[in-house]
Amino acid sequence: MNKLIDKYGRQITYLRLAVTDRCNLRCKYCMPAEGIKIVPRKELLSYKEIYRITRALTELGVNKIRLTGGEPFVRKDFMQLLEMLSYNDLLKKINITTNGALVKHNIPKLEELNINTINLSIDSLKPERFFEITRRNNFHDVFDTLNLLEKSKINLKLNIVVQPGVNTDEIGDFVALSQERNLSVRFIEEMPFNGTGQRTIDEVWNYNRILEEIRKSHPEFEILDHEKSSTSKNFKLPDSTGNFGIIPAYTRTICHDCNRVRITATGMIKNCLFDDGVFNLKEVLNKDISNEDLKDLFLEIIPQKPKNGFVAEENRRKNPNVSESMSTIGG
Ligand code: SAM
Ligand code: SF4
């Protein structure tokens, strides 16, 4: 079988696909309060196109998909897309990243479809602060989702974007949550992808600083083994049920083991989070490309992955008009 291996020897086995750029929340680090440009629906990949792309990629060795957005559950019939993808026997894991506001009633069906892991974004355990961050009043919906997922057979990870001056005082509380609860806490370095550049990040809360903060409240913890391509470095408190980790998304110390390709909601292939898109699939799919030609296209484009996020960012600077949000990139 032809595989997607780049010139640095990295094999691409993991697809992150955004199903929409729309969202029901307006997190300050991700989207402006108003006026974000939403793409017309007809420009989004259709579910049939998503199935075709995924099938071709799995025939080239991809075995894991993460569906994200925007908010995946705001797209009409998202559960049907999951059902379609579950028929692909080459996909070993289907994961979702969600804000959790529209999830709780779908949990039995998500279990039935064998969804492997859900990453639930929750940046504060305090309802008022959650409102300040997301500009929406959905704390209780999200927390209900957290409680139900914890009891389900789906693995639960919490995504917490560490925001200077906003939620750094809750780092210890989230670590404490991993002591009692059957979940993995993941702290993410904030990146300057917020749609308009409205929010400036004045203080650096990188991997080292987050770890230092954890040591203040929980001096004893052990380092966990992790998969080579894992985005996080993981730890565990003594005798704890869950674990916690840090994702150095912005310091980019994980690029050498990257196994990911991203596809945006409009079908743009991104070989790196920090590039500005290398090929638009929508155009070729509209022209009825065959499965073999689609695979050849992937074999040509995906192995051109840049060495790391710094190289990708440097290339992107050549296009100064790019101002993206994680909601369009697909977080
Ligand atoms: N709406 C879903 C959610 O919030 O989980 C999925 C899409 S969201 C873009 C995916 C992840 O990206 C979330 O965990 C979110 O917190 C994170 N994210 C968004 N903007 C970010 C930024 N500027 N820096 C770091 N992480 C960010
Ligand atoms: Fe929406 Fe997720 Fe962005 Fe928040 S982080 S605005 S929930 S896409």
Side-chain angles (χ1 to χ4, degrees), residues 16 18 20 22-25 27-31 66-73 96-100 119-123 158-163 186 188-195 199 201 247 249-250 262 273 324-331:
R16 291 200 176 192
T20 179
R22 292 168 167 77
C23 189
N24 46 346
L25 306 188
C27 306
K28 287 184 175 162
Y29 52 78
C30 179
M31 282 192 181
R66 171 171 301 283
L67 298 158
T68 177
E71 173 49 38
F73 285 87
I96 306 170
T97 301
T98 172
N99 63 37
N119 285 51
L120 178 70
S121 300
I122 179 163
D123 299 314
L158 304 185
N159 281 9
I160 297 115
V161 177
V162 177
Q163 300 150 65
R186 295 288 178 263
I188 307 176
E189 292 175 347
E190 183 174 352
M191 296 178 284
F193 294 145
N194 44 29
R199 180 174 156 72
I201 307 171
I247 303 181
Y250 200 53
R262 287 184 147 79
L273 178 61
E324 268 185 335
S325 149
M326 283 298 278
S327 61
T328 45
I329 297 173

